[in-house]
């Protein structure tokens, strides 16, 4: 296992909470401050993991919830080994748009895979973020943001409201169980406000 000098930040939340825009702006702010930032995403982040992403998001390929879980962790194992750990060993700030908490919220809380099974895979992966920002918006906001994207909806954007509600509840449970790592943020605030809070918390907790 590599020695860790960098900072590992993850952004989490349901659909249309504004994570990806926030990740872009946070990356820019940290770079302006002179930090090496590796901005990445899950599922994805390496050629192999991006290939798995295509399979996972394609709603026409039927996959059980457990099969999806294992594919998310297969992608993650490659991403952690090839991108995240080497970047942390160099001292970089890694910002990942989604990570293991998404599997816990979507596949366990949302789709009914055993929490203990996801926990076991998280332990196997062996890398916990230093700070996790969880963005939340009301369901109506999430729905209208998904709709306004206009693109054909993927497997997860097609989930019904009940599953989406369980996912949101899952993220709240994750945050409550790990208060030293997780910070819940209101995704209805202007993105500048959300990102300024993230920047402040990173500085406070890590000195970066
Ligand atoms: P995104 O790029 O819009 O965040 O798309 C990734 C989708 O994959 C999103 O709908 C959430 C879903 N997902 C899971 O269900 N489990 C996971 O472990 C991860 C990383 C993502």
């Amino acid at each position: 296992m590599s020695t860790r000098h960098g900072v590992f930040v993850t952004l989490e939340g349901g659909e249309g909470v504004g994570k990806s825009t926030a990740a872009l702006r946070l990356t820019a702010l940290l770079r302006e401050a002179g930090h090496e930032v590796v901005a990445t995403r899950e599922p994805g982040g390496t050629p192999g993991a991006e290939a798995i992403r295509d399979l996972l998001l394609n709603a026409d390929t039927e996959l059980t919830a457990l099969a999806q879980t294992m594919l998310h962790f297969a992608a993650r194992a490659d991403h952690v080994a090839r991108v995240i750990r080497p970047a942390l060993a160099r001292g970089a700030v890694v910002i990942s748009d989604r990570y293991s908490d998404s599997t816990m919220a979507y596949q366990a809380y949302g789709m009914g895979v055993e929490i203990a099974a996801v926990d076991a895979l998280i332990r196997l992966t062996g890398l916990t973020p230093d700070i996790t920002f969880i963005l939340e918006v009301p369901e109506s906001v999430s729905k209208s943001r998904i709709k306004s994207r206009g693109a054909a909806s993927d497997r997860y954007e097609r989930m019904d409201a009940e599953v989406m509600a369980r996912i949101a509840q899952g993220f709240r449970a994750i945050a409550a169980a790990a208060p030293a790592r997780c910070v819940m943020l209101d995704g209805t605030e202007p993105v500048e406000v959300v990102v300024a809070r993230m920047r402040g918390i990173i500085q406070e907790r890590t000195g970066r």
Side-chain angles (χ1 to χ4, degrees):
M1 209 180 280
S2 49
T3 319
R4 222 167 129 173
H5 301 292
V7 180
F8 184 23
V9 178
T10 58
L11 269 60
E12 296 280 8
E15 302 298 312
V17 295
K19 253 176 334 81
S20 306
T21 314
L24 274 176
R25 299 218 183 181
L26 182 62
T27 298
L29 270 187
L30 287 160
R31 283 186 181 148
E32 278 166 25
H35 297 301
E36 184 200 349
V37 182
V38 173
T40 187
R41 68 165 180 186
E42 290 206 343
T46 67
E50 290 288 336
I52 296 172
R53 178 188 178 93
D54 290 342
L55 189 60
L56 274 165
L57 295 195
N58 182 356
D60 298 330
T61 311
E62 279 189 34
L63 288 166
T64 67
L66 185 59
Q68 291 173 49
T69 300
M70 288 171 166
L71 284 171
H72 279 294
F73 275 99
R76 185 161 299 133
D78 199 56
H79 187 211
V80 167
R82 292 179 197 280
V83 173
I84 302 177
R85 280 195 195 279
L88 294 176
R90 286 200 303 277
V93 179
V94 176
I95 298 177
S96 188
D97 182 345
R98 298 195 183 280
Y99 189 63
S100 300
D101 295 320
S102 279
T103 321
M104 185 60 87
Y106 280 73
Q107 279 67 48
Y109 282 88
M111 301 167 68
V113 171
E114 265 184 63
I115 288 176
V118 176
D119 264 333
L121 289 164
I122 289 175
R123 277 199 303 279
L124 191 63
T125 311
L127 183 69
T128 308
D130 296 296
I131 305 174
T132 297
F133 296 111
I134 301 178
L135 274 76
E136 193 173 43
V137 298
E139 196 193 313
S140 56
V141 175
S142 162
K143 264 198 183 142
S144 74
R145 285 184 182 171
I146 294 171
K147 219 173 170 186
S148 71
R149 283 179 195 162
S153 59
D154 67 36
R155 180 191 310 278
Y156 299 110
E157 287 173 346
R158 286 186 193 178
M159 290 179 310
D160 62 37
E162 221 173 89
V163 179
M164 297 258 190
R166 287 202 299 269
I167 291 168
Q169 188 239 322
F171 278 121
R172 287 195 291 271
I174 290 164
R181 170 172 72 87
C182 298
V183 180
M184 295 282 304
L185 295 171
D186 179 357
T188 63
E189 298 249 51
V191 65
E192 302 74 35
V193 174
V194 173
V195 171
R197 276 215 61 205
M198 291 177 172
R199 180 72 191 97
I201 289 165
I202 292 171
Q203 193 147 35
E204 241 171 66
R205 296 196 184 178
T206 72
R208 297 290 187 114

